């Protein structure tokens, strides 16, 4: 039995993915579930973004996207569609990378997931070196304490859970507040707007669970 599971985070730049292309034209952050590759080569995409009609228009114009469906919510839009070709992330999935979440911004993507053991991690890194613009940002052992279930219990993505945890530890929710959103964003290594977007979506998920 292998008892070591590692969490790895990669940054992808240069991938010809419709979501990456969309964020080069519209300055938004897109949070996506792991893309699902179908037997016919098409990819099922399920993702969300802010309530910005420019994003919907850009995606609708993209010839590589079919059957775009948009659901309007109080805090933003949720999208489902088919993409005509697989993204580079599937090459990592084929060698053992288990994608948990993806975040697109500024024409690239940050993806977070797990690998089982160092041998699989080496295989993923070798495959990443053969693809376009993939860099390992960090890797660390998967937590085994009770905190690992927080995201699942409250319907949070790993990125949202991390943002809430770091913000809380830094005192962002203290009164009076002495830590700014920019301070937390810098600690996370993301933009202020990306942190605030994660925070808003995490709050929506938490309130959704609390109030049904």
């Amino acid at each position: 039995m292998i008892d070591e599971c590692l969490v790895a985070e990669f940054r992808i730049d240069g991938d010809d993915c419709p979501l990456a292309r969309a964020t080069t034209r519209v300055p938004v952050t897109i949070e996506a579930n792991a893309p699902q590759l179908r037997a016919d080569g098409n990819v099922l995409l399920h993702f969300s973004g802010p309530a910005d009609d420019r994003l919907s228009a850009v995606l609708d114009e993209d010839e590589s996207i079919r059957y775009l469906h948009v659901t309007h919510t109080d805090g933003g839009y949720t999208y489902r569609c088919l993409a005509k070709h697989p993204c580079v992330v599937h090459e990592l999935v084929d060698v053992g990378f288990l994608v948990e979440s993806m975040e697109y911004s500024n024409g690239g993507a940050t993806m977070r997931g797990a690998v089982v053991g160092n041998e699989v991690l080496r295989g993923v890194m070798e495959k990443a070196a053969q693809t376009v613009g993939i860099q390992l940002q960090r890797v660390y052992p998967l937590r085994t304490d009770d905190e690992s279930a927080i995201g699942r219990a409250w319907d949070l993505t790993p990125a949202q859970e991390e943002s809430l945890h770091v913000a809380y530890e830094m005192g962002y929710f203290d009164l009076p507040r002495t830590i700014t959103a920019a301070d937390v964003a810098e600690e996370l290594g993301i933009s202020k707007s990306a942190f605030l977007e994660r925070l808003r979506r995490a709050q929506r998920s938490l309130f959704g669970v609390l109030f049904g």
Side-chain angles (χ1 to χ4, degrees), residues 17-24 30 32 45-47 55 59 62 65 81 87 104-105 107-108:
C17 172
L19 301 188
R21 290 198 303 268
T23 59
T24 63
I30 297 173
L45 299 179
H46 181 199
F47 54 97
L55 177 60
L59 292 170
D62 194 322
I65 287 181
C81 66
C87 299
Y104 293 85
S105 62

Side-chain angles (χ1 to χ4, degrees), residues 11-17 20-21 24 88 106-109 131-134:
R11 174 68 184 181
I12 306 175
D13 290 296
D15 184 20
D16 187 27
C17 172
R21 290 198 303 268
T24 63
V88 69
N106 301 317
T131 59
V132 293
I134 297 184

Side-chain angles (χ1 to χ4, degrees), residues 41-166:
N42 289 309
V43 181
L44 290 169
L45 299 179
H46 181 199
F47 54 97
S48 59
D52 192 325
D53 290 330
R54 294 176 300 171
L55 177 60
S56 301
V58 166
L59 292 170
D60 198 35
E61 293 171 359
D62 194 322
E63 295 183 355
S64 68
I65 287 181
R66 297 187 297 167
Y67 310 120
L68 180 67
H69 181 268
V70 184
T71 303
H72 296 221
T73 63
D74 292 337
Y77 296 164
T78 298
Y79 302 83
R80 294 173 177 83
C81 66
L82 279 180
K84 291 184 180 180
H85 61 83
C87 299
V88 69
V89 63
H90 292 101
E91 297 186 37
L92 303 189
V93 171
D94 288 344
V95 292
F97 185 63
L98 307 174
V99 183
E100 292 184 356
S101 65
M102 299 190 70
E103 185 176 278
Y104 293 85
S105 62
N106 301 317
T110 298
M111 60 179 179
R112 185 180 183 186
V115 293
V116 182
N118 284 289
E119 183 176 348
V120 176
L121 177 61
R122 283 194 295 270
V124 171
M125 291 299 300
E126 290 174 1
K127 176 58 68 173
Q130 301 168 13
T131 59
V132 293
I134 297 184
Q135 294 183 338
L136 178 65
Q137 292 192 317
R138 57 178 177 161
V139 59
Y140 53 92
L142 182 66
R143 294 196 308 258
T144 57
D145 55 23
D146 291 338
E147 287 185 280
S148 62
I150 291 176
R152 293 191 299 273
W154 294 94
D155 196 23
L156 300 176
T157 68
Q160 292 167 359
E161 181 184 351
E162 178 190 31
S163 296
L164 284 177
H165 184 78
V166 171

Side-chain angles (χ1 to χ4, degrees), residues 188-199:
L188 290 166
I190 60 177
S191 68
K192 175 183 174 181
S193 61
F195 164 67
L196 291 175
E197 181 71 13
R198 287 185 187 179
L199 181 62

Side-chain angles (χ1 to χ4, degrees), residues 156 164 173 198-208:
L156 300 176
L164 284 177
F173 301 107
R198 287 185 187 179
L199 181 62
R200 181 185 63 77
R201 292 184 182 282
Q203 289 172 328
R204 185 178 65 181
S205 295
L206 291 170
F207 295 154

